[in-house]
Amino acid sequence: MHKRTTLRGLAAATLTLGFGLAGQTASAADTGPIKIGLVLPMTGQQASTGRQIDAAVKLYMAQNNPVIAGRKVEVIVKDDASTPDQTRRLAQELVVNDKVVALAGFGITPSAMATAPIATQSKTPMVVMAAATSSITEASPYILRTSFTLPQAAVGIAEWAAKNGIKKVVTLVADYGPGNDAEKYFADRFLLNSGQVLEKLRTPLRSPDFAPVLQKVRDAKPDALFVFLPSGQGAQFMKQFAERGLDKAGIRLIGTGDITDDDQLNDMGDVALGVVTAHHYAASHKSAVNQKFVEAFKKANNGMRPNFMAVGGYDGMRVIYNALNTTKGAGGEALLAAMVAHPVLVNRPIVATPRGVRLCRPSERTLDLLDKWPPGPFAKESGELIIDASGQRVA
Ligand code: DHB
């Protein structure tokens, strides 16, 4: 939080020009729609990400009256086909021409990174609903994220592997930001738990060919193969894994939940049985709030099952709506401050300690994972006491 404030101050002092204050403050003249720019890959290799997020945003709009301070909320969807230059150009048009109060979406890390300077220079909050390289939020003080980060998922599965008899692993990741994160954080945690990484393999983000790397995996004879591939590539990968008989060769498949994507799970066949992945979301999660979400999503989308991208989109829309309600439709610094004031969904709260990995909401669940608690009395952000003056947990 301190870092964010510092960076924001720096940005305000040094970056300007080209955007003016277009559409960033509410005034009596603001009677037209409140516009939100949603830049997504609706076509190309990452189209499932776009389809899922677009559907989730529409569901949120349908469930929540799209009128704030008497003005209609309008979402403008643009297809960047996962081409970063396009993402940046579309975001700039949305800010300058359409005067959107917030930018949102961003299917892959390079698209989010390419757009960060637009958010900074125009002081437009940018809600990353999909891209998941850990460093993205450092690229602009105006970026918030409602997706997740690869280290959160990779550390979780590294813990599980070490505790479940897996000693030798080969890693295989898509060769770009989130893949680097997944490879590094998996290996670091696995080595810490006395595991061994035999080989680190990579495939290109665009049109990957898994045959050569799968042959290398076979030759290395690991106990398990750890995989990160972006959403949309999991089914193809599993098919080739099975076609080359790796499932029958006694090599377990583990990974981040991106490869057991709920959007594609039904197309994967039996090879997906027994695959173990760690992630922040699964459509099968039993909580009442999730069941309700899944049902509503399916109903609105011809039975399509929501995946983790949909949840990033739904939660992102909720962050934007809540904040717009606070600012009465104003954008810019006021909107950013209103978003950050309610961080429940921002920085998806998965906590990993030597005691395990857990989704720590409500936030006091973090105490289960700590050896030493802060001295009491200790309250959470809402003011609710969780440790009393005598050091006893009360929530
Ligand atoms: C990214 C994209 C994905 O589809 C995914 O599942 C994880 C990360 C990314 O580019 O950041």
Side-chain angles (χ1 to χ4, degrees):
M1 189 57 78
H2 177 67
K3 189 158 193 190
R4 181 174 287 281
T5 310
T6 312
L7 282 171
R8 198 182 314 156
L10 186 74
T14 59
L15 296 157
T16 47
L17 303 185
F19 293 94
L21 288 174
Q24 301 300 340
T25 49
S27 73
D30 285 328
T31 51
I34 300 169
K35 294 179 188 165
I36 298 164
L38 189 60
V39 191
L40 291 170
M42 301 303 296
T43 54
Q45 197 174 271
Q46 252 66 42
S48 67
T49 296
R51 187 176 67 236
Q52 287 271 346
I53 293 179
D54 183 42
V57 165
K58 288 199 166 76
L59 178 64
Y60 191 90
M61 300 265 291
Q63 290 174 336
N64 295 273
N65 182 19
V67 177
I68 289 174
R71 297 166 64 196
K72 197 169 174 328
V73 178
E74 190 181 307
V75 175
I76 305 172
V77 182
K78 298 279 182 189
D79 174 17
D80 68 358
S82 283
T83 307
D85 285 349
Q86 285 275 52
T87 322
R88 185 177 48 231
R89 184 180 62 73
L90 292 168
Q92 180 157 355
E93 283 174 14
L94 284 162
V95 168
V96 174
N97 300 342
D98 297 298
K99 310 211 178 334
V100 297
V101 291
L103 291 164
F106 309 103
I108 57 168
T109 292
S111 291
M113 291 308 233
T115 310
I118 306 285
T120 305
Q121 288 164 24
S122 67
K123 302 188 191 325
T124 306
M126 172 173 158
V127 178
V128 175
M129 296 168 158
T133 303
S134 51
S135 60
I136 289 174
T137 46
E138 302 294 318
S140 166
Y142 291 85
I143 292 182
L144 293 95
R145 167 163 42 203
T146 55
S147 52
F148 71 111
T149 69
L150 264 305
Q152 290 172 326
V155 167
I157 191 67
E159 283 279 318
W160 181 89
K163 287 188 186 132
N164 286 274
I166 293 171
K167 296 194 167 58
K168 293 180 185 170
V169 167
V170 171
T171 61
L172 168 59
V173 301
D175 192 8
Y176 76 123
N180 300 346
D181 264 2
E183 181 188 271
K184 176 180 174 355
Y185 281 83
F186 176 85
D188 284 359
R189 181 54 66 111
F190 194 55
L191 297 184
L192 202 68
N193 289 332
S194 307
Q196 200 185 340
V197 176
L198 301 176
E199 207 165 343
K200 294 179 177 174
L201 304 171
R202 295 187 174 199
T203 48
L205 170 62
R206 311 265 172 212
S207 315
D209 176 7
F210 301 117
V213 284
L214 286 172
Q215 189 53 48
K216 285 190 183 165
V217 175
R218 225 197 146 111
D219 295 345
K221 297 194 176 59
D223 299 326
L225 172 64
F226 164 82
V227 181
F228 160 76
L229 293 169
S231 183
Q233 293 190 7
Q236 172 76 355
F237 173 78
M238 298 248 187
K239 192 164 159 269
Q240 296 198 15
F241 186 82
E243 274 168 9
R244 280 168 182 72
L246 270 81
D247 53 340
K248 308 265 170 2
I251 299 172
R252 292 203 68 171
L253 187 54
I254 60 174
T256 63
D258 310 69
I259 61 161
T260 40
D261 184 340
D262 280 298
D263 187 73
Q264 294 194 324
L265 212 48
N266 291 355
D267 305 328
M268 288 180 187
D270 287 354
V271 58
L273 298 171
V275 175
V276 179
T277 58
H279 228 205
H280 59 289
Y281 181 74
S284 58
H285 193 264
K286 293 278 178 286
S287 68
V289 66
N290 183 51
Q291 300 281 309
K292 206 170 133 208
F293 168 71
V294 172
E295 250 168 60
F297 188 93
K298 283 185 169 172
K299 194 160 167 224
N301 294 287
N302 263 331
M304 177 165 78
R305 189 194 285 136
N307 70 0
F308 61 101
M309 294 301 188
V311 170
Y314 191 84
D315 289 351
M317 204 57 201
R318 184 171 151 199
V319 168
I320 297 170
Y321 254 61
N322 285 350
L324 282 172
N325 267 316
T326 306
T327 66
K328 310 246 178 311
E333 294 281 355
L335 185 60
L336 184 69
M339 287 176 173
V340 177
H342 298 286
V344 170
L345 297 171
V346 177
N347 292 332
R348 198 161 287 282
I350 295 175
V351 176
T353 77
R355 286 176 168 235
V357 180
R358 185 175 285 193
L359 176 66
C360 286
R361 286 291 181 263
S363 55
E364 58 269 27
R365 291 187 69 187
T366 313
L367 297 178
D368 299 340
L369 297 179
L370 298 178
D371 286 322
K372 196 160 168 266
W373 290 349
F378 188 78
K380 56 191 220 175
E381 292 135 288
S382 62
E384 187 191 340
L385 197 67
I386 55 174
I387 299 174
D388 69 18
S390 67
Q392 294 301 306
R393 183 172 177 170
V394 291

